[in-house]
Amino acid sequence: MKVPLRWLQDFIELPTTEIETLTTALNTVGLTVEGVEELGIGWSDVYVGRVDAIESHPDADKIRVCQVDSGEGTRQIICGAWNFEEGAHVAVARPGAILPGGFEIGQRKIRGVQSNGMICSESELGLGDDHAGIIVLEGEPEPGTPFSELVELPDVVFDLDITPNRPDAMSMLGVARDLAAFFDTSFRVPEIVVPEIDGRTPVQVEIVDALGCRRFTAREITGVEVGPSPFRVRHRLAKVGVRAISNVVDVTNYVMFELGHPLHAFDADTIVGDRLVVKRASEGETLVTLDDIERDLTPEDLIIYDDKGPTSMSGTMGGARSEVSGQTTRVLMEAASWDPPTIMYMARRHNLISEASARFERGVDPSLADIANERASAMVAALTDGKVLAEAVDVIATPIEPALIELRTQDVQRLLGPGFDAGYISGILTRLGMSVQGHEPLSVTVPTFRPDLTRPADLTEEVARIHGYDRFEATLPTGPSGGLTTEQLRTRRLASVLVGAGLTQAINLPFVSPADLRTLGQPGGSELLTVKNPLREEESNLRPTLLPGLLNSIRYNISHGLPSVALFEIGKVFTSEPDASDPRLPVQFDTVGWAVVGEVGIDGVHGQVIQADGAVSIGIWRLLAAGLGLEDVDLRSSSPPGWHPGRTAEIVLAGEMIGHVGELSPRVARDFEIPGRVAIAELNLAPLTGPVAPPISHSPSVFPPVDFDLSFVIANDLPVAKIVRATAIAAGDLLESSSVFDEFRGGDLESASRAVAIRYRLRAADRTLTNEEVAPTRNAMIRAAEGLGAKLRGA
């Protein structure tokens, strides 16, 4: 929100106007300053002039000859604007004046008639976008008065970032209140003088949806003359980035920035049936809004109706049918309190994000509605020569009462430290607009404009905010030290192992496209959890698997010129089943997954480039299992949907299947536009990060090893891991290592069989092994393999 300093000073006597000091104060109270714009006077020799006479130009129809007194006697000036008459007070650039852009004003003839200077428009002085007409000053300022004295320049505009929990700070009044509390000074509100006449508007108001509309106020102003706003109003609105439209509409914006409550002005003569009804829209209804766009309404939209149908969208934009125009003579000023979530969803659904919706979705104070309405009605009457009907409409559907909170001084001191006595605490809270009674505990009445204050800790934070966080001395916390849990430490270890293997961690959003899930062969429909308001319509489900996000990231990197990509992700996946501990939440699991494509390294033996495939994924898994100290691990052939049926294994840890590792189906890779093979894996994280037995260290043996190879003929459906495990058990403590180094098919082998070669190393810790010790061990290992159906090749 933009806050011009000159406008802000209407509400507070600041102890300083020094920019750096004010910026520090605003940041301290939580109104973060995102930018500061210094506005200066961009002209010289521009003065107030009075138009004494106007004549037609003898040789032109579209310009006039004016006699203007700018304090140095009457000058003749040619002007092409027609929005003023004799007696008007205007801004005059005398000959020799310099206007913004370095434009110098001189004396010249226009169609044979001498012109001595220029009568200026807003755009010519850099004060706005209006160039169709010249500036007509309100009142009767003395001719010859420097024009700079009538404009609020120089000025400073602070661009503030207001947090969503502070609807009260979205106004000059709210900012002034916080600064007054910080500087321990007073602030003021505009004096409201309403030119009333007896009567009441015939328009009746009915609230059908009490949840959507808590309060609706309305006042009628009669005898209105719609026209341009005074220069001061237009200039202030321009500083906050709002385009001036007309005196009536400009007042609604002006009061919104003053007090923080958006308003809407109806042309009262267009309200059919003299009745307004607030309710939800029906399916199939439409409304043409002020921007001349016909909008399709939904049952979630909160609409204001008259007897003809929809006439305005609550809290977002009015309807074209009831728009205030140049023919309007009766204005119905509306200030209502709307349900914040309703306005937020409406504004986003219809792409109508505005200053008004930004305030309503934060939660505008219902108690402010009638005050803002009265202020706006008084301004409209003053600027349009209208009169306000004395009796106002005020329908309260949902009463809002101030909150009452008990605050103990000792609790404030426990959180903030010593030095915060009851008097100091009461002083700060009182300056913030709260009522404080009692001593211990303090009984604090929180006004309705602060819905974010609901508990004692909130009040303590308010005390700290106004006291100033930078005034607290640095202290070391006491009490037991913290630390990471075993699961957190092991998760970090897991990530470290994968990074060490050459993978990069990816962080994807937890949303997934149903089309991507269908490509992977994943179930859809009721088994998926649907997001009510997705960031993107095509990604409307919470992910049941990490793979779509990883594969889309792989595709993105390849499309940007990276042929080799290795990514892993640690994140949650979701089901549609309710959690037993809290049925409001779905069952969700922490998982780890990876996807690798392209070159992954060089074969150290043959010097060949290694490409990603299922074997690479299994290699990453083995590296991870070793790094995490996992034992009792088994790989079993598997073929889940979307995975390569012959190059995928399920991981079994301590008898529990925890996920899959292997290769992506070539069809799925093509559908994701990924060339080549893709090594993938997805594993349940909890079994991997659970506690494990500490490793037992043994002194390395100084005695020589015995190496030998065994080649077994086994059935194609017999996992090699079973052979390795069985022979290892048979070898006992003498086995130091075993590794599969070859597989052979064809030749004299049957089609249902294959030969696998395994290299073993035996070593004793306390002696050199003899042939007499090795032979029985080797035979025991062969018998263990034969027990699984294997046959020693060549036997």
Side-chain angles (χ1 to χ4, degrees):
M1 186 186 77
K2 293 186 177 181
V3 178
L5 180 57
R6 292 285 196 96
W7 195 351
L8 180 65
Q9 287 176 305
D10 284 357
F11 295 82
I12 181 174
E13 292 293 341
L14 291 168
T16 179
T17 57
E18 204 276 325
I19 296 176
E20 185 175 351
T21 302
L22 292 178
T23 299
T24 300
L26 289 166
N27 286 328
T28 299
V29 299
L31 309 179
T32 305
V33 179
E34 291 193 323
V36 176
E37 182 183 7
E38 297 185 55
L39 304 179
I41 298 173
W43 64 82
S44 65
D45 294 317
V46 179
Y47 297 88
V48 173
R50 182 183 63 242
V51 181
D52 291 335
I54 302 176
E55 298 176 354
S56 301
H57 192 286
D59 195 27
D61 295 332
K62 296 184 178 181
I63 55 179
R64 298 185 293 178
V65 180
C66 305
Q67 304 300 323
V68 183
D69 179 6
S70 62
E72 293 183 341
T74 301
R75 294 175 182 270
Q76 181 170 280
I77 302 176
I78 309 300
C79 184
W82 290 75
N83 66 319
F84 66 99
E85 298 298 336
E86 292 180 359
H89 288 71
V90 295
V92 177
R94 294 173 178 172
I98 305 296
L99 301 189
F103 181 61
E104 183 175 355
I105 302 301
Q107 296 175 314
R108 65 190 181 113
K109 288 187 176 182
I110 301 176
R111 293 285 185 98
V113 178
Q114 183 75 16
S115 182
N116 303 300
M118 184 172 75
I119 304 177
C120 302
S121 69
E122 291 180 14
S123 64
E124 288 160 345
L125 294 178
L127 299 176
D129 298 327
D130 187 5
H131 56 80
I134 56 93
I135 299 173
V136 178
L137 301 172
E138 56 267 21
E140 296 183 356
E142 185 68 24
T145 303
F147 180 67
S148 58
E149 295 181 7
L150 302 184
V151 297
E152 295 179 339
L153 291 176
D155 200 358
V156 179
V157 180
F158 296 96
D159 192 357
L160 305 183
D161 179 23
I162 308 299
T163 54
N165 67 321
R166 290 296 308 278
D168 62 297
M170 295 282 286
S171 64
M172 304 298 160
L173 176 62
V175 174
R177 183 188 292 114
D178 271 14
L179 288 179
F182 180 80
F183 288 118
D184 195 7
T185 185
S186 60
F187 71 96
R188 53 186 173 267
V189 296
E191 182 181 0
I192 303 175
V193 179
V194 183
E196 293 180 336
I197 59 174
D198 291 338
R200 175 188 173 92
T201 179
V203 178
Q204 302 295 314
V205 174
E206 178 185 359
I207 300 176
V208 174
D209 191 323
L211 174 64
C213 181
R214 295 174 288 189
R215 185 180 187 184
F216 195 109
T217 68
R219 278 181 172 82
E220 183 175 316
I221 308 101
T222 64
V224 169
E225 294 183 13
V226 178
S229 294
F231 171 73
R232 181 169 178 267
V233 172
R234 299 198 308 273
H235 189 207
R236 283 189 168 185
L237 290 177
K239 288 180 182 179
V240 297
V242 175
R243 178 175 61 89
I245 298 174
S246 69
N247 46 16
V248 175
V249 176
D250 292 347
V251 163
T252 63
N253 289 321
Y254 190 92
V255 174
M256 176 179 66
F257 277 92
E258 265 197 340
L259 304 181
H261 198 303
L263 302 104
H264 180 66
F266 291 88
D267 183 333
D269 288 323
T270 66
I271 300 174
V272 178
D274 284 335
R275 192 167 71 104
L276 295 177
V277 179
V278 182
K279 61 181 180 178
R280 302 284 170 167
S282 299
E283 197 69 51
E285 288 184 321
T286 62
L287 172 65
V288 178
T289 46
L290 291 174
D291 52 5
D292 291 325
I293 296 177
E294 184 175 8
R295 302 184 183 274
D296 295 325
L297 305 180
T298 70
E300 287 78 29
D301 294 329
L302 188 64
I303 304 299
I304 302 174
Y305 288 78
D306 63 9
D307 285 355
K308 188 176 180 179
T311 186
S312 180
M313 297 181 68
S314 303
T316 50
M317 183 174 284
R321 182 162 58 84
S322 57
E323 178 182 9
V324 171
S325 67
Q327 289 71 48
T328 299
T329 58
R330 294 171 57 224
V331 169
L332 186 74
M333 185 63 65
E334 168 250 302
S337 175
W338 308 108
D339 174 53
T342 297
I343 301 304
M344 181 181 68
Y345 292 137
M346 280 178 60
R348 281 153 180 75
R349 186 161 48 246
H350 294 283
N351 194 25
L352 287 174
I353 309 299
S354 64
E355 291 284 355
S357 68
R359 286 163 173 78
F360 279 129
E361 67 185 37
R362 282 170 165 82
V364 175
D365 178 18
S367 301
L368 184 59
D370 193 55
I371 298 172
N373 196 318
E374 190 177 33
R375 168 66 170 166
S377 298
M379 282 191 67
V380 168
L383 299 184
T384 65
D385 294 327
K387 296 294 182 181
V388 181
L389 298 185
E391 295 185 46
V393 175
D394 190 355
V395 180
I396 300 176
T398 306
I400 303 294
E401 299 295 336
L404 185 63
I405 303 175
E406 289 190 350
L407 179 64
R408 299 182 182 277
T409 305
Q410 61 186 17
D411 291 337
V412 177
Q413 294 176 345
R414 176 176 57 84
L415 292 172
L416 303 184
F420 292 89
D421 57 31
Y424 186 71
I425 295 170
S426 297
I428 289 179
L429 296 180
T430 301
R431 297 202 301 271
L432 287 171
M434 304 176 209
S435 172
V436 183
Q437 296 179 339
H439 296 285
E440 188 62 26
L442 301 174
S443 180
V444 182
T445 301
V446 180
T448 54
F449 62 76
R450 290 300 304 271
D452 56 314
L453 305 181
T454 59
R455 54 184 182 157
D458 296 332
L459 299 180
T460 302
E461 184 179 3
E462 290 297 288
V463 173
R465 182 172 67 91
I466 301 304
H467 175 77
Y469 292 112
D470 57 344
R471 295 175 58 188
F472 288 92
E473 295 183 1
T475 58
L476 289 175
T478 59
S481 60
L484 299 176
T485 64
T486 299
E487 290 74 14
Q488 291 171 329
L489 289 170
R490 287 180 59 78
T491 300
R492 291 191 176 189
R493 173 61 182 161
L494 179 146
S496 177
V497 170
L498 292 176
V499 170
L503 281 73
T504 300
Q505 185 169 7
I507 302 177
N508 294 308
L509 292 175
F511 309 116
V512 67
S513 163
D516 286 345
L517 292 176
R518 287 193 297 270
T519 299
L520 277 169
Q522 296 282 342
S526 60
E527 297 187 29
L528 298 179
L529 199 63
T530 302
V531 180
K532 185 175 182 180
N533 290 286
L535 296 176
R536 300 172 60 192
E537 288 297 332
E538 59 270 27
E539 293 182 349
S540 57
N541 296 112
L542 287 176
R543 63 188 179 191
T545 169
L546 297 179
L547 290 181
L550 286 169
L551 296 176
N552 281 319
S553 295
I554 291 281
R555 174 172 57 190
Y556 177 85
N557 281 273
I558 290 176
S559 69
H560 285 72
L562 295 176
S564 300
V565 187
L567 302 175
F568 77 94
E569 181 175 6
I570 300 172
K572 292 186 181 294
V573 297
F574 305 85
T575 73
S576 59
E577 299 178 7
D579 194 313
S581 59
D582 188 349
R584 296 173 300 174
L585 300 176
V587 174
Q588 48 195 301
F589 303 97
D590 290 309
T591 57
V592 58
W594 60 78
V596 183
V597 66
E599 299 180 3
V600 297
I602 303 295
D603 186 341
V605 177
H606 304 96
Q608 296 178 343
V609 174
I610 302 175
Q611 297 284 340
D613 60 8
V616 167
S617 191
I618 292 175
I620 295 172
W621 157 247
R622 286 176 173 157
L623 186 66
L624 182 62
L628 293 176
L630 302 176
E631 299 179 353
D632 192 14
V633 176
D634 194 9
L635 278 75
R636 300 173 182 170
S637 178
S638 182
S639 56
W643 298 61
H644 196 297
R647 297 172 182 162
T648 300
E650 61 182 24
I651 304 296
V652 179
L653 176 62
E656 176 188 357
M657 200 279 285
I658 64 169
H660 295 88
V661 61
E663 189 174 318
L664 187 67
S665 163
R667 175 193 59 79
V668 177
R670 286 193 302 270
D671 289 344
F672 275 93
E673 301 175 1
I674 301 176
R677 296 181 173 182
V678 185
I680 58 172
E682 186 165 21
L683 308 167
N684 191 352
L685 191 63
L688 303 179
T689 57
V692 295
I696 300 175
S697 301
H698 300 279
S699 299
S701 175
V702 298
F703 297 95
V706 175
D707 296 328
F708 60 88
D709 300 337
L710 295 177
S711 180
F712 295 101
V713 177
I714 63 174
N716 288 338
D717 59 354
L718 177 63
V720 181
K722 287 190 174 182
I723 301 296
V724 174
R725 187 182 303 107
T727 54
I729 293 173
D733 294 338
L734 294 180
L735 181 66
E736 183 174 286
S737 65
S738 60
S739 61
V740 179
F741 67 90
D742 190 28
E743 181 185 64
F744 176 75
R745 299 174 188 267
D748 59 348
L749 298 177
E750 297 179 359
S751 59
S753 301
R754 55 182 171 149
V756 293
I758 308 173
R759 179 160 296 153
Y760 298 94
R761 169 167 286 188
L762 305 182
R763 193 197 306 255
D766 56 354
R767 63 191 185 282
T768 299
L769 293 176
T770 63
N771 289 336
E772 288 75 13
E773 292 178 283
V774 171
T777 300
R778 180 177 180 276
N779 292 335
M781 295 167 67
I782 294 172
R783 287 194 299 273
E786 290 174 343
L788 296 175
K791 180 179 179 182
L792 184 66
R793 192 174 184 192

